[in-house]
Amino acid sequence: MDREKIIKDFISFGLSKREAKVYYTLFLKKELSAAEIQKHVSILRTKVYEILLQLMNKGFCAERKIGRLKKYYATDPYQAFQNQINNLDGILKTKKNIVSEILNHIAPIYEKNTSDVNPLEFIEILYERKRICERYIHLQQTAQKEIMIFTKKPYALPEKDNVKNAFNVLQRDVTLETIYEIEDFENTEFEKEMIEKFAYSGGKTRFISELPMKLAIFDEKITMLALKDPVSLKPLITTIIINHPDYARAQKEIFKAYWKRSFSLEELIEKYSNSRKIKEK
């Protein structure tokens, strides 16, 4: 017999490690005393008696007295395991009945609670820059199909980090479409270089004179946006996340409309190249 394999199977069935070792030992000879069993399993004598009692209670072994000496032997394993299976079936049946009773009481309560939808459950509002960055990066990392972005200042992340995260998205074969404001391309050589690197690495990039808001749409499910303060009209870092596919699809239509009106990188470069030539003349 493969000792380790059989002991492992005993444990998988439900015996403790010590019970499995003692039970296996009982098959080595027709009968064994506690002292003889101890030599094979390296367990204290008092513990051996305790384990043998547990095995007898489960029907796996029995004892026979020869004068003052007690001998232990394995019972018919077919019958022993069948009795255990019958016990497990009985326990399972009892638990099924208990679960049925529980569900009769709590299922109606659960259904009532879930049917009372709170619209605010779909909305998350973030104020702290660190938390906004964490959520944005997480949504980028977990997107499976596509991300659509209106990129507009102020940035929660430096543009260098934005482009780095975008490269990681593209490596996962997620479609990434970004619309920048033309001002960003004109602003500094560094930002211009970052945007060009992103575009030439597979990111779909276009440019427009002005965007209505900061916006990101993830897999037509989640929308992340920041709006201007309605009083001061200043851009805010405060961000709203709406987890609702209907809203995301509606925002996607807005994104597509702006995409059609915007310039490609090549068109923008040509436009500014022509502008410089006119100025030089």
Side-chain angles (χ1 to χ4, degrees):
M1 290 189 292
D2 185 343
R3 180 178 183 275
E4 295 303 321
K5 172 67 168 60
I6 294 174
I7 288 175
K8 186 176 179 180
D9 288 342
F10 287 160
I11 294 170
S12 296
F13 181 79
L15 296 183
S16 70
K17 187 175 182 180
R18 287 180 173 180
E19 286 175 338
K21 287 182 176 180
V22 170
Y23 185 47
Y24 175 85
T25 304
L26 290 172
F27 288 95
L28 298 180
K29 288 180 67 176
K30 184 177 180 180
E31 293 180 334
L32 290 167
S33 66
E36 290 171 324
I37 293 170
Q38 183 191 12
K39 291 178 182 178
H40 290 282
V41 296
S42 300
I43 299 173
L44 293 175
R45 181 82 61 86
T46 53
K47 286 293 181 182
V48 170
Y49 283 117
E50 183 181 319
I51 294 164
L52 286 167
L53 181 60
Q54 292 168 355
L55 289 172
M56 284 191 288
N57 289 336
K58 293 177 180 179
F60 286 110
C61 73
E63 70 174 13
R64 187 168 71 88
K65 288 185 179 180
I66 305 173
R68 297 178 61 184
L69 181 64
K70 291 182 179 180
K71 291 278 190 173
Y72 299 89
Y73 59 93
T75 57
D76 180 351
Y78 293 100
Q79 189 61 50
F81 279 102
Q82 187 58 54
N83 289 340
Q84 288 297 305
I85 290 171
N86 292 340
N87 289 338
L88 291 172
D89 287 341
I91 292 169
L92 181 60
K93 184 177 179 180
T94 300
K95 288 190 175 183
K96 283 182 177 179
N97 291 334
I98 293 171
V99 168
S100 180
E101 287 294 321
I102 291 171
L103 292 177
N104 286 337
H105 287 89
I106 65 172
I109 300 171
Y110 173 79
E111 290 172 5
K112 181 180 182 303
N113 290 339
T114 53
S115 63
D116 296 336
V117 178
N118 180 356
L120 294 180
E121 291 176 357
F122 304 128
I123 301 172
E124 180 182 0
I125 301 176
L126 305 175
Y127 300 97
E128 297 179 2
R129 181 183 294 268
K130 181 181 177 183
R131 180 61 179 151
I132 293 168
C133 293
E134 289 173 348
R135 289 290 283 122
Y136 178 66
I137 292 170
H138 173 73
L139 289 171
Q140 279 191 320
Q141 291 173 342
T142 55
Q144 299 295 315
K145 185 176 68 172
E146 65 178 15
I147 304 173
M148 297 175 165
I149 303 172
F150 282 170
T151 299
K152 185 178 179 73
K153 293 182 178 180
Y155 300 140
L157 281 171
E159 185 59 22
K160 183 178 180 180
D161 292 340
N162 270 328
V163 174
K164 181 181 177 182
N165 292 331
F167 288 154
N168 293 334
V169 170
L170 293 172
Q171 288 175 357
R172 294 188 289 109
D173 293 327
V174 175
T175 300
L176 182 54
E177 298 179 344
T178 304
I179 303 178
Y180 289 89
E181 290 187 330
I182 292 175
E183 179 187 357
D184 291 339
F185 190 76
E186 295 174 328
N187 196 18
T188 66
E189 283 300 317
F190 174 74
E191 286 188 349
K192 180 180 176 182
E193 181 184 351
M194 288 294 102
I195 293 169
E196 287 179 343
K197 280 185 178 179
F198 166 64
Y200 293 131
S201 296
K204 298 180 180 180
T205 306
R206 293 184 74 85
F207 301 84
I208 199 165
S209 57
E210 186 178 6
L211 290 167
M213 68 188 83
K214 293 162 62 73
L215 173 73
I217 308 164
F218 303 89
D219 291 337
E220 291 188 352
K221 294 178 182 177
I222 300 173
T223 307
M224 190 173 191
L225 67 155
L227 302 171
K228 288 182 178 179
D229 185 323
V231 178
S232 67
L233 297 181
K234 293 180 179 179
L236 293 175
I237 201 69
T238 302
T239 298
I240 303 168
I241 298 175
I242 301 174
N243 190 344
H244 198 292
D246 291 344
Y247 184 82
R249 283 193 291 269
Q251 292 298 308
K252 182 175 178 177
E253 291 303 313
I254 295 174
F255 181 91
K256 287 161 68 176
Y258 273 84
W259 187 268
K260 288 180 181 179
R261 292 166 45 195
S262 57
F263 298 98
S264 68
L265 179 60
E266 291 76 13
E267 290 170 336
L268 189 66
I269 291 172
E270 183 179 353
K271 177 183 176 183
Y272 279 91
S273 176
N274 292 336
S275 296
R276 289 194 187 98
K277 288 178 182 178
I278 292 170
K279 287 180 181 179
E280 288 171 0
K281 290 180 180 179

